[in-house]
Amino acid sequence: MSSDREAERLEFLKAAGLETAERHPLPGDASTRRYERLKTAGGATLMLMDQAPAAESVICDPTMTPDQRRAAGWNATARLSAGRIEAFAGVAAYLKSQGLSAPDIVALDAPRGLAVLEDFGDDLFARVIEQGQAEAPLYLGAVEALAHLHEVAPPTSLVVGALSWPVLDYDATALQGGADLFVEWLPQLDPRLSFGEAALDEWAAAWAPLVARGAAGASVLAHRDYHAENLIWLPGRTGAARVGMIDFQDAVRAHPSWDLHSLLQDARRDVSPDLEAQALAHYFALRPQTDREAFLADYAALAALNEARILGIFARLIARDGKPRYRAFMPRMWRHLEQNLKRPELAQLSAWFDRHVPQESRT
């Protein structure tokens, strides 16, 4: 812990009237953020979010060309927020304006990357299911929250006080960049894999029509990391507000299937095919105007892209960052990917994997 950064935290907490609060650090994840649970003298709890602004590469300026974005680094390419606090604050305010549950922001210092948030507690979907809670009501509740969100076209920018944050499209550059993490990083994890120029050309050609459909369908605000480790069950609330959302700072305008496949084809826990089918049927019942067949084709294509992206991220975390625990999640991602590749619309992509990725490398 940098002494300079700790001094900033202490100054921020003092300004917020929380200098005497007990501080309990929470376990980290794959990001550069850190969290602490604060316990006040009165027994209330809050969350300290700490995201040093200089910890990541630059964000995407909306005026950047695709080449400029790629040159600027991964956050610009993928249209990630680089953890910027104003992104979190803007998305939180918007979700709350739609009657959904995002944490209240108690104190904010965006230039320093610090915020104090409402504490939703520890009842992550994944944890309460492990403790015996029936999973179907939670997943159907999460689908209801998405269907509610998808009824409204997202704004072009999110404003909180003097702060604003653009809502950008999850466009072809970002989508293809995500898929390309697979061919960049899997060979660095598995020396049996080697993708030459011809294979990479075939890879791009196979993804091109799928990426185009995903980009053309960008029409709703997507949380972008919507799964059982980022959703908190709030049974004291009603309707879609029972689903507490966190870690939504990378939200973009995306295809409405994106958050659904993130939820139902999760990297960290198994969701049964029956529950996936039930959840999708529930979504269609809530949004009867949806063209089911077209939606399911896009759902499978974008899920496959996301799974290739996540496999690339896990390979990078293992090979570059020395985090071998992510290897345990890779077989599940391969199972999801191979199931999606059975769709007739993905035949060209499936053939690429058959030619270039042997079964023994799909683990």
Side-chain angles (χ1 to χ4, degrees):
M1 181 185 293
S2 161
S3 59
D4 289 344
R5 186 61 177 168
E6 175 62 5
E8 289 184 326
R9 295 187 195 102
L10 290 171
E11 184 179 342
F12 172 66
L13 290 172
K14 183 176 181 180
L18 294 166
E19 67 271 26
T20 62
E22 296 178 18
R23 296 168 59 189
H24 302 277
L26 300 184
D29 58 13
S31 75
T32 56
R33 288 185 306 279
R34 63 188 301 274
Y35 292 92
E36 295 179 9
R37 176 164 277 129
L38 308 176
K39 186 174 182 180
T40 69
T45 62
L46 297 164
M47 298 297 293
L48 172 65
M49 176 191 282
D50 177 2
Q51 172 72 62
E56 298 197 18
S57 63
V58 300
I59 60 172
C60 180
D61 185 314
T63 66
M64 284 179 172
T65 67
D67 285 343
Q68 288 171 330
R69 285 163 60 186
R70 286 186 284 265
W74 178 242
N75 286 323
T77 299
R79 287 185 160 166
L80 295 169
S81 70
R84 293 276 287 273
I85 295 288
E86 57 265 46
F88 184 94
V91 179
Y94 178 75
L95 292 172
K96 289 171 66 65
S97 77
Q98 299 303 309
L100 299 171
S101 289
D104 286 333
I105 298 176
V106 177
L108 180 67
D109 186 336
R112 288 183 172 178
L114 294 165
V116 173
L117 313 174
E118 176 185 6
D119 183 7
F120 277 166
D122 295 321
D123 286 342
L124 295 169
F125 277 27
R127 301 292 85 77
V128 297
I129 292 169
E130 289 169 356
Q131 295 161 12
Q133 175 99 19
E135 61 182 348
L138 276 66
Y139 276 85
L140 296 182
V143 168
E144 289 166 16
L146 288 181
H148 181 83
L149 186 60
H150 293 176
E151 287 298 317
V152 181
T156 57
S157 64
L158 303 170
V159 178
V160 179
L163 303 174
S164 65
W165 187 259
V167 180
L168 303 178
D169 281 0
Y170 203 3
D171 65 357
T173 300
L175 289 166
Q176 186 65 56
D180 289 347
L181 291 176
F182 181 94
V183 290
E184 178 181 359
W185 285 101
L186 263 292
Q188 300 188 49
L189 178 65
D190 185 346
R192 294 170 296 187
L193 299 178
S194 178
F195 306 130
E197 185 175 347
L200 294 177
D201 288 344
E202 293 169 15
W203 172 262
W207 281 114
L210 311 176
V211 164
R213 280 169 31 197
S219 58
V220 302
L221 187 76
H223 178 297
R224 203 174 177 179
D225 205 14
Y226 196 76
H227 57 73
E229 300 279 354
N230 277 343
L231 301 175
I232 298 174
W233 190 235
L234 303 173
R237 304 188 184 190
T238 59
R242 294 173 299 168
V243 180
M245 301 183 195
I246 57 174
D247 282 1
F248 41 66
Q249 56 279 339
D250 292 321
V252 286
R253 190 166 40 247
H255 193 288
S257 72
W258 191 268
D259 283 343
L260 280 167
H261 67 66
S262 296
L263 176 71
L264 302 173
Q265 297 190 12
D266 197 336
R268 291 169 175 79
R269 69 177 310 273
D270 292 325
V271 177
S272 72
D274 286 346
L275 180 54
E276 181 180 17
Q278 183 183 1
L280 287 170
H282 192 48
Y283 180 81
F284 294 136
L286 293 169
R287 302 200 75 220
Q289 71 275 28
T290 304
D291 182 332
R292 295 190 184 198
E293 287 308 309
F295 188 96
L296 288 173
D298 290 346
Y299 173 91
L302 292 174
L305 187 150
N306 193 40
E307 284 137 17
R309 181 186 71 89
I310 291 172
L311 285 166
I313 290 172
F314 288 166
R316 183 176 65 190
L317 286 166
I318 299 164
R320 185 192 71 184
D321 301 336
K323 297 181 177 181
R325 67 184 182 274
Y326 287 95
R327 191 180 288 275
F329 301 131
M330 295 182 76
R332 183 179 291 112
M333 284 288 91
W334 275 114
R335 290 194 296 272
H336 290 320
L337 176 57
E338 290 181 334
Q339 185 62 36
N340 287 312
L341 290 176
K342 295 177 182 178
R343 291 278 305 198
E345 302 90 350
L346 303 188
Q348 185 179 359
L349 187 63
S350 179
W352 185 94
F353 277 94
D354 289 342
R355 284 193 298 273
H356 300 292
V357 185
Q359 282 297 325
E360 57 267 26
S361 292
R362 304 185 190 192
T363 59

